[in-house]
Amino acid sequence: MKTIGLIGGMSWESTVIYYQIINQVIKERLGGLHSAKLLLYSVDFAVIEECQANDEWNKSADILADVAKNLEGAGADFIVICTNTMHKVVPQIQKQISIPILHIADATADSLIDAGIKKVALLGTKYTMTQGFYKEKLIARGISVVIPEEEDVELVNRVIYEELCLGVLTDTSRNQYQRIIGDMKAKGAEGVILGCTEIGLLINQEDSSLLIFDTTQIHARVAAVEAIS
């Protein structure tokens, strides 16, 4: 079994789910008392979020690259970054380590293609929704991407940082997300990516008029399978 190097804490609310899913998949595949071999480095999210807000992406890349190097030195065979947004700096991190990074957008694109999805809605932080680092991975695989209107981008982003990352779940925010998903369905989306690892805490398939693709679930399962492949 390969050793997974997890970079978590962004936020820890979703990192807990990564740990749980990875071990569940290992148990399903191998049976008995098997569990995952992994190393978890949980960062202080306040530091990372400050870098995001101040557009200091190179600084955040250096922080996470140091973490990745530590995990590699400790014996990790590949890296899993337990957040969508910070995949923006994967190219900078990858240059500083020799083990691969399992990219969350690649894993999600594979899942979309398997489901026959050609046009997908994307929910996430404002960085993930509006910048190219994530969407370009999907577009390169022949999948077109729909994002919310500008005011709804801000709403989705606010709920993530001010509620979900703090473990706060409200019916009001769930209803707003459902409305936004409905709006993007009207624009032709065939499915919706929960492109922030906390959104799955708020929205599940019963809440969505579109087929959901929960990136936390997808990424964690792919990591577990990679560990035993």
Side-chain angles (χ1 to χ4, degrees):
M1 189 188 303
K2 298 172 188 173
T3 299
I4 307 170
L6 294 177
I7 303 179
M10 300 170 285
S11 69
W12 68 262
E13 295 281 349
S14 59
T15 303
V16 171
I17 301 172
Y18 267 88
Y19 183 81
Q20 184 178 44
I21 293 170
I22 289 169
N23 279 290
Q24 285 174 340
V25 173
I26 295 296
K27 181 180 179 181
E28 290 168 4
R29 296 296 181 98
L30 301 182
L33 296 176
H34 283 289
S35 57
K37 291 173 60 180
L38 59 82
L39 300 163
L40 169 60
Y41 194 120
S42 188
V43 303
D44 180 358
F45 188 34
V47 175
I48 300 298
E49 191 279 329
E50 184 177 1
C51 291
Q52 294 174 348
N54 293 330
D55 202 30
E56 295 177 327
W57 295 99
N58 288 335
K59 181 179 178 180
S60 65
D62 289 341
I63 293 169
L64 297 188
D66 285 342
V67 172
K69 287 186 283 188
N70 285 335
L71 290 171
E72 181 177 20
D77 293 300
F78 62 95
I79 297 294
V80 173
I81 303 173
C82 304
T83 169
N84 286 268
T85 300
M86 296 315 297
H87 279 72
K88 176 179 172 69
V89 297
V90 161
Q92 295 98 304
I93 299 169
Q94 188 65 78
K95 289 178 182 178
Q96 300 190 50
I97 57 175
S98 59
I99 58 175
I101 299 171
L102 196 64
H103 202 293
I104 197 168
D106 289 332
T108 301
D110 288 341
S111 185
L112 291 166
I113 290 169
D114 287 345
I117 300 295
K118 297 294 186 182
K119 187 172 186 178
V120 71
L122 175 61
L123 297 179
T125 67
K126 62 184 179 182
Y127 313 108
T128 300
M129 289 187 285
T130 63
Q131 297 181 14
F133 69 93
Y134 195 96
K135 293 184 290 186
E136 287 169 3
K137 289 273 188 180
L138 304 178
I139 293 168
R141 302 286 294 277
I143 302 164
S144 60
V145 181
V146 180
I147 66 169
E149 299 295 331
E150 184 175 352
E151 61 271 23
D152 285 334
V153 166
E154 293 299 326
L155 186 154
V156 170
N157 187 75
R158 180 189 61 75
V159 169
I160 289 169
Y161 284 100
E162 296 182 11
E163 297 179 18
L164 303 185
C165 288
L166 300 174
V168 176
L169 308 176
T170 71
D171 289 337
T172 299
S173 293
R174 183 178 292 107
N175 292 339
Q176 291 279 35
Y177 272 49
Q178 289 174 311
R179 174 186 60 77
I180 293 167
I181 290 170
D183 290 345
M184 293 190 290
K185 181 179 181 179
K187 295 179 180 179
E190 303 163 320
V192 57
I193 299 171
L194 307 187
C196 167
T197 52
E198 282 77 31
I199 295 178
L201 299 170
L202 183 69
I203 297 291
N204 59 40
Q205 189 58 67
E206 294 179 355
D207 302 312
S208 175
S209 58
L210 290 172
L211 183 63
I212 68 168
F213 293 83
D214 185 337
T215 54
T216 305
Q217 299 277 338
I218 293 167
H219 202 205
R221 292 190 70 85
V222 169
V225 171
E226 175 63 24
I228 57 176
S229 64

